[in-house]
Structures are given as structure tokens and as C-alpha cells.
Amino acid sequence: MSEVRIAAEPRTEFGKGASRRTRRAGKVPAVLYGHGTDPQHISLPGHDLMRALRTPNVLLRVQGLGSSEELALPKDVQRDPIKGSLEHIDLLLVKLGEKVTVEIPVQITGDIAPGGMLDQQLIQIAVEAEATHIPQAVEVNIAGFQVGTAVLAKDLKLPRGVSLAADEDALVLHVVAEKTADQVEAEISGEAEGEAAQGEGEAAEAESGE
């Protein structure tokens, strides 16, 4: 579990204009909430926060809001859809020993047997873990997997103290037969024919509506 200390400042101005001013100053507007407390409106240093969020489910030790630091997990991160810069973040207060439900990445290692093709259905899986002991990822070694091999959520080997919070019968990945060149070409042709038929149908509808 990765922990990062980050300095926070109380926010007293609200609204879009105030948020824009906060971001122009290199900071990110945030809300800290949880455990029945009133939400705290704060701002966080943008560069430090961006670096921290590179780690999934990073635990933030928020400082500067009182005599002691607060532990928090990122819950809702809003980014600019074009620039990718941070716009706003919600932080959930947690305590030592408290269990939380989070999604962790499913990390694949190894290579399947020749003739097969990996079809990964889930890239993340929901688990329950102590807030200060959230695993970075769950690893699945697919070395030598043959066509037809499947891994369900209940087959994942989770660290001690971590339990599955997803449907245990959910398909995580399976190995399917590798497609031949003829099959790929047939699929492409079928898609092209479908698009052409759709275009003709739309054109006919447009003409009938004139």
C-alpha cells in the first residue's frame, strides 16, 4: 500500500470562478468527507496530487487542517477531458483498521500456449481490504494456459486479509482459439457490408422524408 503526505489548505471561496482561480494557482479544489463529519472544502497542490494519483488507491495523509493529519482515499477524480489536468477530487476519510471496498487492477504475467488468444474480460476487480493495506494489484500467471482455460473471480489468489467483493463467478479472463486469416477477413467483410446496409437505409429514410 502506497502512502503519500500532502499539504492541504482550507477553501473559503466556492463556485466556478473560485475553482478556476484555485486551478490557475496550481492547486486542485477538493472535498474531504466521511465518518459523519461535515464535508471540508480544501485545495491540494496540483503537481503533488497528480504524482500521487499515479498509484491506484493511494492513501493520502492530508496535513495542514489541524493538529493531526487525516487519512483519506481518492473516490472521485474529475479531469479535463482534453488536457487531462485535474479539475476536482473527492476524498473519503478512513481510519486505521477500517475496511473499505475498492477496485484493484488485474495484472497478467506469463504467456499462453501457442494457438490461443487471451480474452481478458475484467481489468479491475472489487475487493474488501483494510484502508492501510490495499494491495496494488492481483496477479494472474497465465503461463502455458491452453485454449478453453478460464479464470473466474473466485480463482484469484488474494493476499491475506483481502476478500473478494465482486461476483465470485464473474469471468476474469479465458483463452480462446486464435482466429485464422480467413475468419478475420470474413469479419471485416461482414462489418463493411453492415455499415453499407446501414448507410443505404439512412439514405432511403432521408429521401422518404423529403
Side-chain angles (χ1 to χ4, degrees), residues 18-89:
S19 294
R20 282 195 292 268
R21 286 192 292 273
T22 298
R23 288 190 285 269
R24 280 199 297 268
K27 299 175 182 179
V28 179
V31 174
L32 184 65
Y33 68 95
H35 294 147
T37 62
D38 292 332
Q40 298 181 64
H41 297 271
I42 60 176
S43 62
L44 301 170
H47 179 68
D48 293 345
L49 182 59
M50 183 74 82
R51 289 183 61 186
L53 292 178
R54 291 175 185 171
T55 301
N57 298 310
V58 63
L59 182 66
L60 297 176
R61 290 186 173 269
V62 184
Q63 300 174 321
L65 298 177
S67 58
S68 61
E69 59 189 15
E70 301 276 16
L71 296 178
L73 284 172
K75 292 303 291 183
D76 184 26
V77 180
Q78 298 175 21
R79 298 178 184 269
D80 184 283
I82 298 175
K83 300 177 182 178
S85 55
L86 295 172
E87 295 278 293
H88 188 276
I89 183 169

Side-chain angles (χ1 to χ4, degrees), residues 1-3 56-59 71 73 94-102 104 127-136 159-163:
M1 178 71 192
S2 179
E3 296 184 16
N57 298 310
V58 63
L59 182 66
L71 296 178
L73 284 172
V94 296
K95 294 181 179 178
L96 292 174
E98 179 182 3
K99 288 200 169 186
V100 294
T101 300
V102 295
I104 60 174
V127 299
E128 185 181 66
E130 286 190 14
T132 54
H133 292 86
I134 298 174
Q136 296 293 313
R160 181 179 297 179
V162 178
S163 59

Side-chain angles (χ1 to χ4, degrees), residues 133-152:
H133 292 86
I134 298 174
Q136 296 293 313
V138 57
E139 186 177 290
V140 181
N141 188 346
I142 60 172
F145 276 18
Q146 303 283 340
V147 172
T149 304
V151 174
L152 303 180

